[in-house]
Amino acid sequence: MRAQSLLPAIGILIVAACATSTKLQTSGSASASAPSPRATASSDRRVGLRAGWTDAAEAAWNVRLVSATPRPADFTNPTDPGAFPFINSDLAFTGHYVIQGNFHGLQVWDIAQPSRPTLVTTYVCPDAQNDVSVYHNLLFTSGEDFNGRVDCGTQGVPDSVSKDRLRGIRIFDISDIAHPKPITNVQTCRGSHTHTLVTDAKDTANVYLYVSGSAPVRSPTELAGCSDLTPDQDPNSEQFRIEVIQVPLAHPEQAHVVSKPAILAALAAPHSHAEAPEDIAAAAKAAAEARAKGGFTAHAFGVEIVLGPGFVRHQLDSIVKARGGTGAPTGADSTVLRGAVQGIVDRIVNPPTPGNGPRPGPVQCHDITVYQALGLAGGACAGYGVLLDIRDPANPRRVAAIADSNFSYWHSATFNNDGTKLLFTDEWGGGLQPRCRVTDRPEWGADAIFTVAQNTMTFRSYYKLPAPQTSNENCVAHNGSLVPVPGRDIMVQGWYQGGISVFDWSDPSHPKEIAYFDRGPMDSTKLVGAGSWSAYWYNGYIVSSEIARGLDVFELLPSALLSQNEIDAAKLVHFDYLNVQNQPRLVWPASFVVARAYLDQLARSNGLAADSVAAVRNALVRAEGLSGQPRRDALTQLAAQLSADAPGAADPAKVRTVAAAVTDLAR
């Protein structure tokens, strides 16, 4: 999510605006086809749901809501359920605990009984976004709010330069998870909007954090060495870089920034689409109303926007200090800012370029997903999706980049299990706006699916939530994870107030929804921010961080699109801990249910003749009833028969997969 409270200086500029609509040709295929037409009220039960905070109507298809646990009282504003200082953010998992970030701090839930999550503890530490990750007894959280304090205090940081401000990573000891203990803070020049935990099998003494900071570069007076000059003016500029933190596991208190790789260097500014006409008109109306009340506005990307109070306060404070004054800004200071603010905004959204070169691309990433088994990472970096080589984790390097004029803001990334596909999300509207309306183009605010081969990304299709949402529901593509069904690429994803969507992207050109859950809007008269920030599969269940309502737990139900065997096979994959942005390779144990899951897929796709499918099912039942050598002999014979039948099958590759699963059982 990107919003005023998150990015006090420039976030509000990006939320409301995009560049022009010229198509940009880049490496890989240009985006072309749109997904299927949006659903209508007659065909989707998500349309027209009753509004409500705690009593909104619900619609579910092929999924069951196991529990819906409200936010703790001290993490809730009862008069404003969508209040930004109390919204839930991302999730991390360890054992039977889920750690839920919140702009007010941390919540730890025990989900050993998914139908009755229990609150273990809360830890008050106001900051944005408090994104979380875990590694054994260590907990890491992101912070980039100008008011975040090193001591987690609630009083904020009033000064523009202060030793009390935290913008970076907090590290906690959670050996006693009910009592998180601060270890140290690692200050970074841009703060940390998100971060990604990275491990290295060759370096077991350390873990690394890739820090994506989307706030402005700090003053060198506050943190020495920070420079917002362009790289031609200062080779140590923070622009176009991420920050890599090394954490010595034996001494986490010695964690420090170890490198600042310029993974976005030399990328030209991409083209993107304009805002929807109704949003341009709404922005103009809001700006006029703000100006009438003394607010500050500016034009960016062709839209007039209202500048947030954090941005204004910071600029006025700088004007006061520049004239050698103290105390509150005067009316004259406000006049000075009104005359200068457009130029300030222009320098932020369209910084000067060295010489006569093209306008540079994004100066920071939003989120990075690492797939260490392949030595690759997918970087969602505002205007680009990038592919990174992370075999040297302290020094990641870019090997490919892709842009798409249908994308507004590259937000997050997910690999499929064999690394041959990469899905990027587009957070058009910053997470605070309704971008799933029936009038919104289906290729905007969607997922883009690419195939990956030899460090080249090739566009295949878009996937967007099929059901239109109302103008009172913030909705756009957001965070999700793979569902570990063997033999298929299935993902569950949060769409804010669009709910959660489970879809199959095994065929990257034709993704298909197979399950969903949705609630009505928070309010029937206005937009109140809420919905699924993230929806992740963890040890048999889907856990969703509901921004304004709390913690949701779901389970998948069998259907014509997903069998009970496939669900049971997915439940065989167990994680001791999970940070979704550190994507693990999924491995299934030898099991009869895995073989049956593959067989169900063959039956569904007619990849093997129906009588042959029935014969294999019967053979598996007979073999499972045996033990010892007779079982091994029966399974070996069945595997041989499957291998012999494969060449004549409609889906020989999947038949061979079943044969391999049966062979594993025999062994």
Side-chain angles (χ1 to χ4, degrees):
M1 179 178 283
R2 296 167 292 126
Q4 175 184 334
S5 297
L6 296 177
L7 312 180
I10 64 171
I12 192 64
L13 307 179
I14 302 171
V15 165
C18 310
T20 58
S21 58
T22 305
K23 177 71 75 174
L24 178 68
Q25 300 295 330
T26 60
S27 61
S29 300
S31 303
S33 59
S36 301
R38 308 298 292 279
T40 64
S42 63
S43 63
D44 197 305
R45 293 185 292 111
R46 286 171 284 189
V47 177
L49 291 172
R50 184 188 69 250
W53 179 6
T54 60
D55 60 348
E58 299 172 350
W61 178 56
N62 298 336
V63 69
R64 181 176 75 90
L65 177 63
V66 175
S67 60
T69 308
R71 288 181 295 179
D74 55 346
F75 275 52
T76 304
N77 181 343
T79 64
D80 182 4
F84 235 83
F86 295 97
I87 68 171
N88 288 325
S89 58
D90 214 359
L91 304 172
F93 304 87
T94 179
H96 53 85
Y97 301 103
V98 55
I99 302 170
Q100 185 176 32
N102 181 289
F103 281 44
H104 193 58
L106 304 170
Q107 303 154 90
V108 179
W109 301 93
D110 186 335
I111 57 170
Q113 296 184 41
S115 62
R116 298 184 63 185
T118 58
L119 185 66
V120 176
T121 191
T122 60
Y123 190 96
V124 174
C125 190
D127 214 329
Q129 307 183 122
N130 274 324
D131 273 14
V132 289
S133 65
V134 295
Y135 186 78
H136 298 299
N137 65 321
L138 297 177
L139 167 66
F140 307 93
T141 69
S142 286
E144 68 174 6
D145 197 329
F146 282 1
N147 278 323
R149 295 181 58 88
V150 295
D151 60 2
C152 286
T154 60
Q155 66 270 44
V157 184
D159 296 330
S160 60
V161 173
S162 174
K163 61 180 177 56
D164 296 323
R165 179 174 289 111
L166 182 282
R167 290 173 64 198
I169 296 291
R170 305 178 195 269
I171 305 178
F172 296 87
D173 184 333
I174 54 169
S175 300
D176 178 359
I177 200 166
H179 301 91
K181 179 180 177 182
I183 296 176
T184 192
N185 300 320
V186 182
Q187 300 277 10
T188 63
C189 286
R190 280 194 177 275
S192 175
H193 190 66
T194 66
H195 70 270
T196 302
L197 181 82
V198 187
T199 58
D200 181 10
K202 302 185 298 296
D203 182 9
T204 57
N206 300 287
V207 296
Y208 297 85
L209 302 177
Y210 290 173
V211 179
S212 298
S214 53
V217 175
R218 298 167 82 165
S219 164
T221 306
E222 184 169 275
L223 184 61
C226 297
S227 170
D228 197 26
L229 297 174
T230 56
D232 63 307
Q233 297 173 308
D234 183 352
N236 296 315
S237 167
E238 297 299 321
Q239 294 186 16
F240 313 111
R241 301 178 182 274
I242 61 170
E243 293 169 287
V244 179
I245 293 174
Q246 183 186 62
V247 184
L249 294 175
H251 293 282
E253 73 280 0
Q254 297 175 11
H256 62 285
V257 176
V258 70
S259 66
K260 297 183 180 184
I263 65 170
L264 299 176
L267 291 175
H271 296 288
S272 185
H273 58 83
E275 288 296 303
E278 60 265 44
D279 297 321
I280 295 174
K285 182 176 183 289
E289 292 173 350
R291 278 188 275 103
K293 297 176 182 178
F296 291 78
T297 68
H299 287 82
F301 305 110
V303 177
E304 187 175 7
I305 57 176
V306 180
L307 300 174
F311 177 87
V312 172
R313 184 172 59 250
H314 178 73
Q315 297 301 326
L316 287 173
D317 186 54
S318 297
I319 290 171
V320 171
K321 286 183 168 56
R323 64 173 170 78
T326 58
T330 65
D333 295 326
S334 294
T335 300
V336 171
L337 179 58
R338 289 189 194 282
V341 71
Q342 186 62 58
I344 295 170
V345 170
D346 288 343
R347 287 193 296 273
I348 293 172
V349 301
N350 189 15
T353 59
N356 295 316
R359 188 161 65 90
V363 296
Q364 80 288 317
C365 281
H366 178 274
D367 209 345
I368 297 172
T369 293
V370 299
Y371 196 171
Q372 292 162 270
L374 298 178
L376 293 174
C381 300
Y384 279 88
V386 301
L387 192 65
L388 305 174
D389 181 331
I390 60 166
R391 287 175 294 180
D392 177 359
N395 298 285
R397 63 183 184 87
R398 187 179 84 233
V399 296
I402 193 85
D404 179 355
S405 64
N406 282 322
F407 260 44
S408 170
Y409 193 85
W410 299 69
H411 177 273
S412 54
T414 303
F415 290 91
N416 72 330
N417 195 46
D418 64 12
T420 58
K421 303 167 198 163
L422 181 55
L423 179 149
F424 289 100
T425 68
D426 172 21
E427 197 186 37
W428 175 37
L432 293 176
Q433 303 300 320
R435 293 296 184 260
C436 302
R437 299 161 297 189
V438 70
T439 55
D440 290 325
R441 292 179 57 174
E443 64 268 35
W444 294 0
D447 301 330
I449 300 172
F450 297 82
T451 51
V452 181
Q454 297 179 338
N455 292 340
T456 298
M457 295 179 284
T458 303
F459 173 79
R460 296 302 180 189
S461 70
Y462 298 109
Y463 175 79
K464 188 167 184 178
L465 187 74
Q469 304 291 304
T470 70
S471 59
N472 292 326
E473 293 171 283
N474 54 308
C475 178
V476 75
H478 214 231
N479 293 352
S481 74
L482 296 184
V483 177
V485 173
R488 298 173 71 181
D489 298 326
I490 294 178
M491 184 170 171
V492 59
Q493 183 177 5
W495 290 80
Y496 291 118
Q497 286 199 75
I500 70 167
S501 178
V502 183
F503 60 98
D504 185 324
W505 51 303
S506 303
D507 178 351
S509 298
H510 300 93
K512 180 180 181 180
E513 185 171 55
I514 62 174
Y516 65 67
F517 176 87
D518 189 19
R519 292 185 176 94
M522 291 281 285
D523 193 297
S524 62
T525 64
K526 63 181 183 296
L527 194 156
V528 176
S532 178
W533 178 291
S534 49
Y536 300 144
W537 174 278
Y538 183 68
N539 293 347
Y541 293 88
I542 294 167
V543 184
S544 172
S545 180
E546 219 291 352
I547 289 172
R549 293 181 173 102
L551 188 75
D552 289 333
V553 180
F554 304 91
E555 66 175 351
L556 289 170
L557 301 177
S559 69
L561 302 172
L562 185 69
S563 71
Q564 187 64 58
N565 286 321
E566 290 174 299
I567 295 171
D568 291 343
K571 291 181 178 181
L572 294 175
V573 176
H574 179 85
F575 303 111
D576 293 328
Y577 69 94
L578 178 66
N579 307 299
V580 168
Q581 287 73 30
N582 183 336
Q583 192 170 324
R585 185 190 289 276
L586 304 176
V587 179
W588 294 265
S591 168
F592 279 92
V593 77
V594 171
R596 290 188 174 108
Y598 290 133
L599 196 58
D600 289 348
Q601 293 161 18
L602 279 169
R604 185 183 300 115
S605 66
N606 295 315
L608 185 64
D611 57 346
S612 296
V613 169
V616 175
R617 283 177 171 155
N618 290 333
L620 284 172
V621 170
R622 289 194 297 271
E624 193 170 15
L626 302 172
S627 61
Q629 191 61 44
R631 172 185 281 191
R632 287 192 291 272
D633 291 343
L635 290 169
T636 300
Q637 181 179 354
L638 176 59
Q641 184 61 53
L642 284 163
S643 297
D645 291 344
D651 188 350
K654 184 58 65 74
V655 175
R656 293 189 185 98
T657 299
V658 180
V662 173
T663 299
D664 287 343
L665 284 169
R667 291 172 178 168

